[in-house]
Amino acid sequence: MKTFEYTITDALGIHARPAGLLAKEAKAFADTVITVAKGGNAVKASQLMKLMSLGVKQGDVVTVTADGANEDAAIAAMEAFFKANL
Amino acid sequence: MILMQGKGVSKGVVKGPLYFFRRQDTTVVKTTVNDQSAEQDRLQQAQDKAIAQLEALAERCREDAGDESAVLFETHAMFVEDEDFVECIQSTMEEENCNAEYAVQTAGEQFAAMFAAMDDAYMQARAADIRDVARRILNNLMGVVEGGIDSDEPVIVAADDLAPSETIQLDKSKILGFVTQGGSGNSHTAILARTMGIPAVCGLGDALKADYSGRLAYVDGETGSVVLEPDELTLATMREKYARQQEMNALYQTMKGQEDVTLDGKKVNVYCNIGSPEDVAAVLSNDGQGIGLFRSEFLYLAADDYPSEDTQFEAYKSVAAAMDGKRVIIRTLDIGADKQVAYFDMKKEENPALGVRAIRICLNRPEVFRAQLRALYRASAYGKIAIMFPMITSVWEVRECKRACQKVMAELEKEGIPFNKDTEIGVMIETPASVFVAEELAREVDFFSVGTNDLTQYTLACDRQANDLGKFFDPHHPAVLRALKMAADAAHKAGIWIGICGELGADVSMLPTFLAIGIDELSVSPSAVLPLRAAIRKSIAKTCTLEALEC
């Protein structure tokens, strides 16, 4: 299992557009479970509506984990995605 | 060749594919479904269709508006496939053995509520996206199409007959013409067609079959014939007519900017009848000199509840402003009879044409009337608005209407809201009673406008909605024309003007009679303005006679 923490810088937080893109990105790693957690709540990155319902705002810290056959590539893709979009 | 013969109610020749209008029932009812695997397949198809629609929308957006708005539709597409959303729908169906519609609606509400409950205004607003997505899947499940027409190319709309509330939701840019089984020249489909300037044929009966859907049809709105697979002679005739129509239209264009005056100098105002603010474009493009009848019903028919004062104000203001100082006559609410609105909660009447309709509703429900009058007076500050009351039979009704106007003006004055205190007030002459007391009515108001459809209906005791009265429903009947003259004489005696806003006004064959009677204004469908202007400019008012009034 791989993990990293990230502090959101986007003014709107994880809003519809990046959540949609993130869910799409996560679905590409079919054999790996990617989760996003805020506080005690963790959801799969591919669960678009749940991901949005976390209500992640600017300044919040999220924990992203990848677990599965392709976790190295997945976590690298996630880190790159968060830095570029959030 | 298949020839169907009906009644031509809006002139013009056109060809195009037939499209059968389907009733748009969007109420979701829970039903028990035992074959869940077939139901799940239906759901899957509706979802697949939704995704395809959204991807097409995203594609079009990317070309027209750029990436940002395209992503919105892509996100909607992802909502459709969202694991939790889909699971919620499927488990509801399985657990409750219910139909997909009910499960989609329930899941949509549940997820929308989840977003609505979040403490972030942006996320709360996403509830609307979820509802939008659920609505799209529901529409696909129920075969409901936005804009009513499930076709990319323009079509000839076929139906049994269309109710006013149904024509309102149609995407007008996709309609080439109308053909209906029932209906008459006075039906709403016919009125809409004439406003749009497109051909319409009604009363085709059983000859118009649903399995003709999609087939290429040739429609002649003058002769009332609708033809599939025309033979060579028919095709040649249609083509020639189409060519002549194009030529005439080009000639009528030269009438733009010309004055509506006869050769001997009698001026007639040529105004337009409209049913919604979007019709103003047609008024301007046909050079109408004003609006002689703005039917305010559209605001009520298109809504699920009483339209607010502000909603009405915006609509009236937009028309008044667009007409830029030209007269805009707005008729107060004229529902009842053939135009029914559910939330008015009217009692069922044996004979609605003689029942509680139009001004009778307004006088019985002062709050509904007050909201409309306030909106009208507020809009009067933005253009030349005139207010017209329909279905008047008595002088006391007009006095009561005027008192309501005075009250509204006093309110606005007190609130410091601008309005025009000299806003003209007029009444419709459409009942025999109003003709008999026209002299007294004329002393109360600024103008008369004759609704010839209703005046014919009430004078001749002929239901205007009935299909089979045929020759008995005759707007040229001397009794109707004499009523017109009586009203005109009363108006002129009191020094006010009189117009005609019924369909008869566009009947060029009656123009000499109108000129002889001394009609001051004719309000017609926008598409009829230029042909009427051409006819007026060829006429000599002094030589017109009243012979049509003889029996």
Side-chain angles (χ1 to χ4, degrees), chain A residues 12 14-17 20 23-24 44 46-50 52-55 57, chain B residues 68 71 75 78-79 82-85 111 114-115 118-120 122-123 126 130:
Chain A
L12 278 172
I14 302 187
H15 60 282
R17 179 188 150 86
K24 210 174 188 176
K44 282 194 228 163
S46 58
Q47 292 172 293
L48 176 58
M49 293 202 205
K50 285 245 172 89
M52 288 170 66
S53 72
L54 280 178
K57 298 192 188 100
Chain B
E68 283 295 321
V71 170
T75 311
M78 294 181 74
F79 282 159
D82 184 77
E83 288 172 29
D84 300 290
F85 182 56
F111 278 80
M114 176 179 89
F115 279 99
M118 287 172 71
D119 62 355
D120 172 327
Y122 169 83
M123 287 298 171
R126 302 284 69 72
I130 308 289

Side-chain angles (χ1 to χ4, degrees), chain B residues 9 13 58 108 127 135 161 176 198 214 220 254 268 338 362 375 396 450 497-498 520 537 544:
Chain B
V9 290
V13 181
R135 184 78 251 167
D161 194 10
L176 296 168
I198 60 174
D220 184 337
T254 64
V268 182
D338 54 314
C362 291
W396 68 262
V450 184
W497 60 269
I498 181 168
D520 303 288
R537 293 178 62 82
C544 291

Side-chain angles (χ1 to χ4, degrees), chain B residues 353-421:
Chain B
L354 304 182
V356 183
R357 58 171 288 201
I359 202 67
R360 297 172 181 175
I361 296 179
C362 291
L363 294 177
N364 279 349
R365 303 186 186 192
E367 278 315 297
V368 175
F369 199 28
R370 176 176 169 266
Q372 183 165 35
L373 291 176
R374 278 185 62 99
L376 286 166
Y377 274 102
R378 282 171 61 192
S380 71
Y382 299 87
K384 191 177 180 185
I385 280 182
I387 301 174
M388 178 160 75
F389 301 113
M391 264 301 280
I392 294 294
T393 53
S394 313
V395 176
W396 68 262
E397 293 166 341
V398 181
R399 294 199 178 126
E400 207 165 302
C401 288
K402 283 167 71 181
R403 272 195 295 276
C405 291
Q406 296 291 350
K407 228 170 125 187
V408 160
M409 283 195 278
E411 281 175 23
L412 295 176
E413 183 90 60
K414 217 170 149 189
E415 294 164 34
I417 297 170
F419 64 95
N420 174 12
K421 66 174 173 32

Side-chain angles (χ1 to χ4, degrees), chain B residues 271-273 290-294 327-329 388 449 501 521 523:
Chain B
Y271 289 171
C272 294
N273 299 339
I291 289 170
L293 169 64
F294 177 10
R327 193 183 268 134
V328 176
I329 302 175
M388 178 160 75
S449 186
C501 64
E521 176 245 17
S523 189

